[in-house]
Amino acid sequence: MDTEKANEAIRDDRLDAILGSFMDRVRPEAAYFGAIDGMRTAFVVFDLEDPSRVPVICEPLFMELNAKITMIPVMNGDDVRTGVQRFLSS
């Protein structure tokens, strides 16, 4: 999160609502907050069932917090097994 925009959201008592709305949209499996390189940072694990939801998820954070977002697709063990079987079958 951009420091100045997040500070502004904190001062205006909006940060909790912004993050709460985000959490409601993604229904995370896990969420962790900390700092990286002096920036407020969140690691949020959630199931992105439909890639067309990316703007719905990200745009409010871009607009409200000038956030920088990196999305990294990951798999659980079942996903890996299914993917390997599909590879072997192709």
Side-chain angles (χ1 to χ4, degrees):
M1 295 172 242
D2 176 74
T3 301
E4 281 306 310
K5 292 288 270 185
N7 286 348
E8 181 182 310
I10 290 168
R11 282 191 291 273
D12 295 344
D13 198 29
R14 294 181 300 112
L15 185 62
D16 188 52
I18 293 167
L19 293 178
S21 178
F22 168 75
M23 294 298 194
D24 289 344
R25 282 191 304 278
V26 300
R27 297 178 320 277
E29 296 174 31
Y32 302 96
F33 300 86
I36 294 180
D37 296 328
M39 302 290 294
R40 291 178 181 99
T41 304
F43 294 95
V44 182
V45 178
F46 65 96
D47 185 9
L48 181 62
E49 296 171 4
D50 179 359
S52 70
R53 292 195 64 234
V54 170
V56 173
I57 292 166
C58 296
E59 289 301 329
L61 299 177
F62 291 142
M63 295 174 70
E64 295 284 342
L65 300 173
N66 198 26
K68 295 179 184 175
I69 299 174
T70 302
M71 298 181 104
I72 303 169
V74 297
M75 298 176 283
N76 64 28
D78 290 338
D79 295 332
V80 172
R81 281 187 286 283
T82 299
V84 168
Q85 288 303 314
R86 286 181 182 165
F87 168 75
L88 292 173
S89 299
S90 61

